[in-house]
mmCIF file with all atom_site columns, all heavy atoms in Angstrom:
data_model
loop_
_atom_site.group_PDB
_atom_site.id
_atom_site.type_symbol
_atom_site.label_atom_id
_atom_site.label_alt_id
_atom_site.label_comp_id
_atom_site.label_asym_id
_atom_site.label_entity_id
_atom_site.label_seq_id
_atom_site.pdbx_PDB_ins_code
_atom_site.Cartn_x
_atom_site.Cartn_y
_atom_site.Cartn_z
_atom_site.occupancy
_atom_site.B_iso_or_equiv
_atom_site.pdbx_formal_charge
_atom_site.auth_seq_id
_atom_site.auth_comp_id
_atom_site.auth_asym_id
_atom_site.auth_atom_id
_atom_site.pdbx_PDB_model_num
ATOM 1   N N   . TRP A 1 30 ? 108.479 162.424 120.736 1.00 97.00 ? 45 TRP A N   1
ATOM 2   C CA  . TRP A 1 30 ? 109.041 162.743 122.011 1.00 97.00 ? 45 TRP A CA  1
ATOM 3   C C   . TRP A 1 30 ? 110.183 161.830 122.486 1.00 97.00 ? 45 TRP A C   1
ATOM 4   O O   . TRP A 1 30 ? 111.227 162.349 122.894 1.00 97.00 ? 45 TRP A O   1
ATOM 5   C CB  . TRP A 1 30 ? 107.805 162.828 122.987 1.00 97.00 ? 45 TRP A CB  1
ATOM 6   C CG  . TRP A 1 30 ? 108.096 163.610 124.267 1.00 97.00 ? 45 TRP A CG  1
ATOM 7   C CD1 . TRP A 1 30 ? 108.315 163.258 125.500 1.00 97.00 ? 45 TRP A CD1 1
ATOM 8   C CD2 . TRP A 1 30 ? 108.305 165.110 124.296 1.00 97.00 ? 45 TRP A CD2 1
ATOM 9   N NE1 . TRP A 1 30 ? 108.484 164.269 126.417 1.00 97.00 ? 45 TRP A NE1 1
ATOM 10  C CE2 . TRP A 1 30 ? 108.561 165.398 125.581 1.00 97.00 ? 45 TRP A CE2 1
ATOM 11  C CE3 . TRP A 1 30 ? 108.247 165.924 123.311 1.00 97.00 ? 45 TRP A CE3 1
ATOM 12  C CZ2 . TRP A 1 30 ? 108.823 166.704 126.017 1.00 97.00 ? 45 TRP A CZ2 1
ATOM 13  C CZ3 . TRP A 1 30 ? 108.642 167.396 123.689 1.00 97.00 ? 45 TRP A CZ3 1
ATOM 14  C CH2 . TRP A 1 30 ? 108.872 167.694 125.067 1.00 97.00 ? 45 TRP A CH2 1
ATOM 15  N N   . ARG A 1 31 ? 109.905 160.558 122.429 1.00 98.00 ? 46 ARG A N   1
ATOM 16  C CA  . ARG A 1 31 ? 110.856 159.555 122.885 1.00 98.00 ? 46 ARG A CA  1
ATOM 17  C C   . ARG A 1 31 ? 112.139 159.738 122.042 1.00 98.00 ? 46 ARG A C   1
ATOM 18  O O   . ARG A 1 31 ? 113.358 159.731 122.528 1.00 98.00 ? 46 ARG A O   1
ATOM 19  C CB  . ARG A 1 31 ? 110.292 158.173 122.702 1.00 98.00 ? 46 ARG A CB  1
ATOM 20  C CG  . ARG A 1 31 ? 109.455 157.709 123.849 1.00 98.00 ? 46 ARG A CG  1
ATOM 21  C CD  . ARG A 1 31 ? 108.824 156.374 123.657 1.00 98.00 ? 46 ARG A CD  1
ATOM 22  N NE  . ARG A 1 31 ? 109.849 155.445 123.433 1.00 98.00 ? 46 ARG A NE  1
ATOM 23  C CZ  . ARG A 1 31 ? 109.661 154.334 122.759 1.00 98.00 ? 46 ARG A CZ  1
ATOM 24  N NH1 . ARG A 1 31 ? 108.491 154.023 122.448 1.00 98.00 ? 46 ARG A NH1 1
ATOM 25  N NH2 . ARG A 1 31 ? 110.533 153.397 122.334 1.00 98.00 ? 46 ARG A NH2 1
ATOM 26  N N   . GLY A 1 32 ? 111.984 160.005 120.850 1.00 98.00 ? 47 GLY A N   1
ATOM 27  C CA  . GLY A 1 32 ? 113.127 160.186 119.838 1.00 98.00 ? 47 GLY A CA  1
ATOM 28  C C   . GLY A 1 32 ? 113.925 161.444 120.260 1.00 98.00 ? 47 GLY A C   1
ATOM 29  O O   . GLY A 1 32 ? 115.100 161.424 120.194 1.00 98.00 ? 47 GLY A O   1
ATOM 30  N N   . ARG A 1 33 ? 113.229 162.571 120.471 1.00 98.00 ? 48 ARG A N   1
ATOM 31  C CA  . ARG A 1 33 ? 113.948 163.774 120.882 1.00 98.00 ? 48 ARG A CA  1
ATOM 32  C C   . ARG A 1 33 ? 114.643 163.497 122.219 1.00 98.00 ? 48 ARG A C   1
ATOM 33  O O   . ARG A 1 33 ? 115.722 164.025 122.453 1.00 98.00 ? 48 ARG A O   1
ATOM 34  C CB  . ARG A 1 33 ? 112.872 164.840 121.056 1.00 98.00 ? 48 ARG A CB  1
ATOM 35  C CG  . ARG A 1 33 ? 112.261 165.400 119.767 1.00 98.00 ? 48 ARG A CG  1
ATOM 36  C CD  . ARG A 1 33 ? 111.431 166.500 120.035 1.00 98.00 ? 48 ARG A CD  1
ATOM 37  N NE  . ARG A 1 33 ? 110.786 166.867 118.814 1.00 98.00 ? 48 ARG A NE  1
ATOM 38  C CZ  . ARG A 1 33 ? 110.341 168.120 118.393 1.00 98.00 ? 48 ARG A CZ  1
ATOM 39  N NH1 . ARG A 1 33 ? 110.718 169.124 119.128 1.00 98.00 ? 48 ARG A NH1 1
ATOM 40  N NH2 . ARG A 1 33 ? 109.788 168.282 117.350 1.00 98.00 ? 48 ARG A NH2 1
ATOM 41  N N   . GLU A 1 34 ? 114.036 162.924 123.165 1.00 98.00 ? 49 GLU A N   1
ATOM 42  C CA  . GLU A 1 34 ? 114.724 162.606 124.460 1.00 98.00 ? 49 GLU A CA  1
ATOM 43  C C   . GLU A 1 34 ? 115.999 161.822 124.270 1.00 98.00 ? 49 GLU A C   1
ATOM 44  O O   . GLU A 1 34 ? 117.018 162.063 124.735 1.00 98.00 ? 49 GLU A O   1
ATOM 45  C CB  . GLU A 1 34 ? 113.833 161.886 125.410 1.00 98.00 ? 49 GLU A CB  1
ATOM 46  C CG  . GLU A 1 34 ? 112.764 162.761 125.976 1.00 98.00 ? 49 GLU A CG  1
ATOM 47  C CD  . GLU A 1 34 ? 111.944 161.994 127.123 1.00 98.00 ? 49 GLU A CD  1
ATOM 48  O OE1 . GLU A 1 34 ? 111.870 160.763 126.979 1.00 98.00 ? 49 GLU A OE1 1
ATOM 49  O OE2 . GLU A 1 34 ? 111.527 162.697 128.040 1.00 98.00 ? 49 GLU A OE2 1
ATOM 50  N N   . ALA A 1 35 ? 115.917 160.747 123.263 1.00 98.00 ? 50 ALA A N   1
ATOM 51  C CA  . ALA A 1 35 ? 117.160 159.963 123.020 1.00 98.00 ? 50 ALA A CA  1
ATOM 52  C C   . ALA A 1 35 ? 118.231 160.809 122.420 1.00 98.00 ? 50 ALA A C   1
ATOM 53  O O   . ALA A 1 35 ? 119.336 160.572 122.680 1.00 98.00 ? 50 ALA A O   1
ATOM 54  C CB  . ALA A 1 35 ? 116.741 158.792 122.274 1.00 98.00 ? 50 ALA A CB  1
ATOM 55  N N   . LEU A 1 36 ? 117.795 161.692 121.489 1.00 98.00 ? 51 LEU A N   1
ATOM 56  C CA  . LEU A 1 36 ? 118.709 162.485 120.738 1.00 98.00 ? 51 LEU A CA  1
ATOM 57  C C   . LEU A 1 36 ? 119.417 163.452 121.744 1.00 98.00 ? 51 LEU A C   1
ATOM 58  O O   . LEU A 1 36 ? 120.680 163.574 121.748 1.00 98.00 ? 51 LEU A O   1
ATOM 59  C CB  . LEU A 1 36 ? 118.095 163.244 119.682 1.00 98.00 ? 51 LEU A CB  1
ATOM 60  C CG  . LEU A 1 36 ? 119.050 164.170 118.921 1.00 98.00 ? 51 LEU A CG  1
ATOM 61  C CD1 . LEU A 1 36 ? 120.091 163.460 118.133 1.00 98.00 ? 51 LEU A CD1 1
ATOM 62  C CD2 . LEU A 1 36 ? 118.110 164.938 117.694 1.00 98.00 ? 51 LEU A CD2 1
ATOM 63  N N   . LEU A 1 37 ? 118.664 164.071 122.615 1.00 97.00 ? 52 LEU A N   1
ATOM 64  C CA  . LEU A 1 37 ? 119.243 164.948 123.579 1.00 97.00 ? 52 LEU A CA  1
ATOM 65  C C   . LEU A 1 37 ? 120.189 164.301 124.523 1.00 97.00 ? 52 LEU A C   1
ATOM 66  O O   . LEU A 1 37 ? 121.274 164.733 124.927 1.00 97.00 ? 52 LEU A O   1
ATOM 67  C CB  . LEU A 1 37 ? 117.928 165.435 124.388 1.00 97.00 ? 52 LEU A CB  1
ATOM 68  C CG  . LEU A 1 37 ? 118.236 166.939 125.028 1.00 97.00 ? 52 LEU A CG  1
ATOM 69  C CD1 . LEU A 1 37 ? 118.552 167.917 123.942 1.00 97.00 ? 52 LEU A CD1 1
ATOM 70  C CD2 . LEU A 1 37 ? 116.768 167.343 125.718 1.00 97.00 ? 52 LEU A CD2 1
ATOM 71  N N   . ARG A 1 38 ? 119.866 163.004 124.986 1.00 97.00 ? 53 ARG A N   1
ATOM 72  C CA  . ARG A 1 38 ? 120.748 162.241 125.845 1.00 97.00 ? 53 ARG A CA  1
ATOM 73  C C   . ARG A 1 38 ? 121.949 162.064 125.058 1.00 97.00 ? 53 ARG A C   1
ATOM 74  O O   . ARG A 1 38 ? 123.067 161.999 125.689 1.00 97.00 ? 53 ARG A O   1
ATOM 75  C CB  . ARG A 1 38 ? 119.975 160.890 126.187 1.00 97.00 ? 53 ARG A CB  1
ATOM 76  C CG  . ARG A 1 38 ? 120.400 160.246 127.472 1.00 97.00 ? 53 ARG A CG  1
ATOM 77  C CD  . ARG A 1 38 ? 119.242 159.327 127.987 1.00 97.00 ? 53 ARG A CD  1
ATOM 78  N NE  . ARG A 1 38 ? 118.712 158.408 127.030 1.00 97.00 ? 53 ARG A NE  1
ATOM 79  C CZ  . ARG A 1 38 ? 117.353 158.362 126.676 1.00 97.00 ? 53 ARG A CZ  1
ATOM 80  N NH1 . ARG A 1 38 ? 116.519 159.105 127.402 1.00 97.00 ? 53 ARG A NH1 1
ATOM 81  N NH2 . ARG A 1 38 ? 117.024 157.547 125.724 1.00 97.00 ? 53 ARG A NH2 1
ATOM 82  N N   . PHE A 1 39 ? 121.952 161.456 123.769 1.00 97.00 ? 54 PHE A N   1
ATOM 83  C CA  . PHE A 1 39 ? 123.003 161.255 123.034 1.00 97.00 ? 54 PHE A CA  1
ATOM 84  C C   . PHE A 1 39 ? 124.056 162.509 122.996 1.00 97.00 ? 54 PHE A C   1
ATOM 85  O O   . PHE A 1 39 ? 125.262 162.371 123.393 1.00 97.00 ? 54 PHE A O   1
ATOM 86  C CB  . PHE A 1 39 ? 122.745 160.905 121.619 1.00 97.00 ? 54 PHE A CB  1
ATOM 87  C CG  . PHE A 1 39 ? 123.910 160.694 120.619 1.00 97.00 ? 54 PHE A CG  1
ATOM 88  C CD1 . PHE A 1 39 ? 124.552 159.453 120.568 1.00 97.00 ? 54 PHE A CD1 1
ATOM 89  C CD2 . PHE A 1 39 ? 124.406 161.863 119.878 1.00 97.00 ? 54 PHE A CD2 1
ATOM 90  C CE1 . PHE A 1 39 ? 125.546 159.361 119.698 1.00 97.00 ? 54 PHE A CE1 1
ATOM 91  C CE2 . PHE A 1 39 ? 125.322 161.732 119.020 1.00 97.00 ? 54 PHE A CE2 1
ATOM 92  C CZ  . PHE A 1 39 ? 126.041 160.395 118.896 1.00 97.00 ? 54 PHE A CZ  1
ATOM 93  N N   . LEU A 1 40 ? 123.406 163.640 122.697 1.00 96.00 ? 55 LEU A N   1
ATOM 94  C CA  . LEU A 1 40 ? 124.148 164.860 122.715 1.00 96.00 ? 55 LEU A CA  1
ATOM 95  C C   . LEU A 1 40 ? 124.902 165.189 124.007 1.00 96.00 ? 55 LEU A C   1
ATOM 96  O O   . LEU A 1 40 ? 126.016 165.752 124.129 1.00 96.00 ? 55 LEU A O   1
ATOM 97  C CB  . LEU A 1 40 ? 123.413 166.008 122.031 1.00 96.00 ? 55 LEU A CB  1
ATOM 98  C CG  . LEU A 1 40 ? 122.912 165.852 120.639 1.00 96.00 ? 55 LEU A CG  1
ATOM 99  C CD1 . LEU A 1 40 ? 121.887 166.720 120.216 1.00 96.00 ? 55 LEU A CD1 1
ATOM 100 C CD2 . LEU A 1 40 ? 124.125 165.992 119.660 1.00 96.00 ? 55 LEU A CD2 1
ATOM 101 N N   . ASN A 1 41 ? 123.966 165.119 124.972 1.00 95.00 ? 56 ASN A N   1
ATOM 102 C CA  . ASN A 1 41 ? 124.458 165.713 126.224 1.00 95.00 ? 56 ASN A CA  1
ATOM 103 C C   . ASN A 1 41 ? 125.437 164.709 126.928 1.00 95.00 ? 56 ASN A C   1
ATOM 104 O O   . ASN A 1 41 ? 126.118 165.203 127.876 1.00 95.00 ? 56 ASN A O   1
ATOM 105 C CB  . ASN A 1 41 ? 123.266 166.065 127.255 1.00 95.00 ? 56 ASN A CB  1
ATOM 106 C CG  . ASN A 1 41 ? 122.539 167.301 126.728 1.00 95.00 ? 56 ASN A CG  1
ATOM 107 O OD1 . ASN A 1 41 ? 123.194 168.158 125.978 1.00 95.00 ? 56 ASN A OD1 1
ATOM 108 N ND2 . ASN A 1 41 ? 121.332 167.629 127.009 1.00 95.00 ? 56 ASN A ND2 1
ATOM 109 N N   . LEU A 1 42 ? 125.425 163.507 126.542 1.00 94.00 ? 57 LEU A N   1
ATOM 110 C CA  . LEU A 1 42 ? 126.515 162.575 127.000 1.00 94.00 ? 57 LEU A CA  1
ATOM 111 C C   . LEU A 1 42 ? 127.919 162.975 126.465 1.00 94.00 ? 57 LEU A C   1
ATOM 112 O O   . LEU A 1 42 ? 128.877 162.589 127.084 1.00 94.00 ? 57 LEU A O   1
ATOM 113 C CB  . LEU A 1 42 ? 126.161 161.045 126.619 1.00 94.00 ? 57 LEU A CB  1
ATOM 114 C CG  . LEU A 1 42 ? 125.202 160.369 127.478 1.00 94.00 ? 57 LEU A CG  1
ATOM 115 C CD1 . LEU A 1 42 ? 124.750 158.974 126.859 1.00 94.00 ? 57 LEU A CD1 1
ATOM 116 C CD2 . LEU A 1 42 ? 125.933 159.969 128.825 1.00 94.00 ? 57 LEU A CD2 1
ATOM 117 N N   . ARG A 1 43 ? 127.861 163.623 125.348 1.00 90.00 ? 58 ARG A N   1
ATOM 118 C CA  . ARG A 1 43 ? 128.959 164.384 124.729 1.00 90.00 ? 58 ARG A CA  1
ATOM 119 C C   . ARG A 1 43 ? 129.085 165.764 125.214 1.00 90.00 ? 58 ARG A C   1
ATOM 120 O O   . ARG A 1 43 ? 129.731 166.612 124.512 1.00 90.00 ? 58 ARG A O   1
ATOM 121 C CB  . ARG A 1 43 ? 128.767 164.232 123.237 1.00 90.00 ? 58 ARG A CB  1
ATOM 122 C CG  . ARG A 1 43 ? 129.063 162.769 122.802 1.00 90.00 ? 58 ARG A CG  1
ATOM 123 C CD  . ARG A 1 43 ? 128.409 162.428 121.602 1.00 90.00 ? 58 ARG A CD  1
ATOM 124 N NE  . ARG A 1 43 ? 128.618 160.854 121.266 1.00 90.00 ? 58 ARG A NE  1
ATOM 125 C CZ  . ARG A 1 43 ? 127.807 160.059 121.944 1.00 90.00 ? 58 ARG A CZ  1
ATOM 126 N NH1 . ARG A 1 43 ? 126.932 160.256 122.753 1.00 90.00 ? 58 ARG A NH1 1
ATOM 127 N NH2 . ARG A 1 43 ? 128.004 158.659 121.758 1.00 90.00 ? 58 ARG A NH2 1
ATOM 128 N N   . ARG A 1 44 ? 128.425 166.101 126.349 1.00 89.00 ? 59 ARG A N   1
ATOM 129 C CA  . ARG A 1 44 ? 128.631 167.410 126.902 1.00 89.00 ? 59 ARG A CA  1
ATOM 130 C C   . ARG A 1 44 ? 128.285 168.591 126.072 1.00 89.00 ? 59 ARG A C   1
ATOM 131 O O   . ARG A 1 44 ? 128.922 169.528 126.092 1.00 89.00 ? 59 ARG A O   1
ATOM 132 C CB  . ARG A 1 44 ? 130.066 167.680 127.565 1.00 89.00 ? 59 ARG A CB  1
ATOM 133 C CG  . ARG A 1 44 ? 130.353 166.561 128.689 1.00 89.00 ? 59 ARG A CG  1
ATOM 134 C CD  . ARG A 1 44 ? 131.606 166.785 129.353 1.00 89.00 ? 59 ARG A CD  1
ATOM 135 N NE  . ARG A 1 44 ? 132.786 166.754 128.495 1.00 89.00 ? 59 ARG A NE  1
ATOM 136 C CZ  . ARG A 1 44 ? 133.950 167.277 128.838 1.00 89.00 ? 59 ARG A CZ  1
ATOM 137 N NH1 . ARG A 1 44 ? 134.072 167.900 129.889 1.00 89.00 ? 59 ARG A NH1 1
ATOM 138 N NH2 . ARG A 1 44 ? 135.011 167.123 127.971 1.00 89.00 ? 59 ARG A NH2 1
ATOM 139 N N   . ALA A 1 45 ? 127.142 168.371 125.347 1.00 87.00 ? 60 ALA A N   1
ATOM 140 C CA  . ALA A 1 45 ? 126.726 169.535 124.454 1.00 87.00 ? 60 ALA A CA  1
ATOM 141 C C   . ALA A 1 45 ? 125.965 170.469 125.292 1.00 87.00 ? 60 ALA A C   1
ATOM 142 O O   . ALA A 1 45 ? 125.898 171.606 124.769 1.00 87.00 ? 60 ALA A O   1
ATOM 143 C CB  . ALA A 1 45 ? 125.856 168.900 123.362 1.00 87.00 ? 60 ALA A CB  1
ATOM 144 N N   . GLY A 1 46 ? 125.402 170.130 126.341 1.00 92.00 ? 61 GLY A N   1
ATOM 145 C CA  . GLY A 1 46 ? 124.605 171.070 127.189 1.00 92.00 ? 61 GLY A CA  1
ATOM 146 C C   . GLY A 1 46 ? 123.381 171.640 126.453 1.00 92.00 ? 61 GLY A C   1
ATOM 147 O O   . GLY A 1 46 ? 123.032 172.851 126.640 1.00 92.00 ? 61 GLY A O   1
ATOM 148 N N   . LEU A 1 47 ? 122.715 170.952 125.758 1.00 95.00 ? 62 LEU A N   1
ATOM 149 C CA  . LEU A 1 47 ? 121.577 171.365 124.927 1.00 95.00 ? 62 LEU A CA  1
ATOM 150 C C   . LEU A 1 47 ? 120.188 171.050 125.695 1.00 95.00 ? 62 LEU A C   1
ATOM 151 O O   . LEU A 1 47 ? 120.089 170.182 126.510 1.00 95.00 ? 62 LEU A O   1
ATOM 152 C CB  . LEU A 1 47 ? 121.433 170.745 123.531 1.00 95.00 ? 62 LEU A CB  1
ATOM 153 C CG  . LEU A 1 47 ? 122.636 171.066 122.613 1.00 95.00 ? 62 LEU A CG  1
ATOM 154 C CD1 . LEU A 1 47 ? 122.499 170.440 121.230 1.00 95.00 ? 62 LEU A CD1 1
ATOM 155 C CD2 . LEU A 1 47 ? 123.023 172.467 122.608 1.00 95.00 ? 62 LEU A CD2 1
ATOM 156 N N   . THR A 1 48 ? 119.199 171.833 125.443 1.00 96.00 ? 63 THR A N   1
ATOM 157 C CA  . THR A 1 48 ? 117.785 171.652 125.946 1.00 96.00 ? 63 THR A CA  1
ATOM 158 C C   . THR A 1 48 ? 116.904 171.229 124.885 1.00 96.00 ? 63 THR A C   1
ATOM 159 O O   . THR A 1 48 ? 117.156 171.403 123.618 1.00 96.00 ? 63 THR A O   1
ATOM 160 C CB  . THR A 1 48 ? 117.356 172.870 126.622 1.00 96.00 ? 63 THR A CB  1
ATOM 161 O OG1 . THR A 1 48 ? 117.229 173.916 125.523 1.00 96.00 ? 63 THR A OG1 1
ATOM 162 C CG2 . THR A 1 48 ? 118.354 173.414 127.644 1.00 96.00 ? 63 THR A CG2 1
ATOM 163 N N   . GLU A 1 49 ? 115.626 170.713 125.319 1.00 97.00 ? 64 GLU A N   1
ATOM 164 C CA  . GLU A 1 49 ? 114.646 170.518 124.407 1.00 97.00 ? 64 GLU A CA  1
ATOM 165 C C   . GLU A 1 49 ? 114.250 171.756 123.504 1.00 97.00 ? 64 GLU A C   1
ATOM 166 O O   . GLU A 1 49 ? 114.040 171.617 122.373 1.00 97.00 ? 64 GLU A O   1
ATOM 167 C CB  . GLU A 1 49 ? 113.300 170.227 125.165 1.00 97.00 ? 64 GLU A CB  1
ATOM 168 C CG  . GLU A 1 49 ? 113.389 168.975 126.174 1.00 97.00 ? 64 GLU A CG  1
ATOM 169 C CD  . GLU A 1 49 ? 113.030 167.702 125.616 1.00 97.00 ? 64 GLU A CD  1
ATOM 170 O OE1 . GLU A 1 49 ? 112.771 167.680 124.292 1.00 97.00 ? 64 GLU A OE1 1
ATOM 171 O OE2 . GLU A 1 49 ? 112.841 166.730 126.363 1.00 97.00 ? 64 GLU A OE2 1
ATOM 172 N N   . GLU A 1 50 ? 114.288 172.715 124.150 1.00 97.00 ? 65 GLU A N   1
ATOM 173 C CA  . GLU A 1 50 ? 114.033 174.133 123.472 1.00 97.00 ? 65 GLU A CA  1
ATOM 174 C C   . GLU A 1 50 ? 115.011 174.379 122.405 1.00 97.00 ? 65 GLU A C   1
ATOM 175 O O   . GLU A 1 50 ? 114.754 174.932 121.210 1.00 97.00 ? 65 GLU A O   1
ATOM 176 C CB  . GLU A 1 50 ? 113.956 175.361 124.372 1.00 97.00 ? 65 GLU A CB  1
ATOM 177 C CG  . GLU A 1 50 ? 112.784 175.308 125.378 1.00 97.00 ? 65 GLU A CG  1
ATOM 178 C CD  . GLU A 1 50 ? 112.893 174.160 126.362 1.00 97.00 ? 65 GLU A CD  1
ATOM 179 O OE1 . GLU A 1 50 ? 113.944 173.862 126.870 1.00 97.00 ? 65 GLU A OE1 1
ATOM 180 O OE2 . GLU A 1 50 ? 111.750 173.605 126.861 1.00 97.00 ? 65 GLU A OE2 1
ATOM 181 N N   . ASP A 1 51 ? 116.304 174.114 122.655 1.00 97.00 ? 66 ASP A N   1
ATOM 182 C CA  . ASP A 1 51 ? 117.419 174.301 121.704 1.00 97.00 ? 66 ASP A CA  1
ATOM 183 C C   . ASP A 1 51 ? 117.161 173.478 120.435 1.00 97.00 ? 66 ASP A C   1
ATOM 184 O O   . ASP A 1 51 ? 117.304 173.890 119.232 1.00 97.00 ? 66 ASP A O   1
ATOM 185 C CB  . ASP A 1 51 ? 118.774 173.880 122.228 1.00 97.00 ? 66 ASP A CB  1
ATOM 186 C CG  . ASP A 1 51 ? 119.341 174.774 123.428 1.00 97.00 ? 66 ASP A CG  1
ATOM 187 O OD1 . ASP A 1 51 ? 118.962 176.031 123.326 1.00 97.00 ? 66 ASP A OD1 1
ATOM 188 O OD2 . ASP A 1 51 ? 119.980 174.284 124.209 1.00 97.00 ? 66 ASP A OD2 1
#
Side-chain angles (χ1 to χ4, degrees):
W45 199 246
R46 279 178 48 204
R48 288 186 191 215
E49 284 188 335
L51 180 56
L52 209 53
R53 209 157 43 237
F54 174 90
L55 291 166
N56 287 340
L57 276 171
R58 286 150 186 81
R59 296 193 293 162
L62 301 184
T63 64
E64 303 267 8
E65 291 70 31
D66 289 330

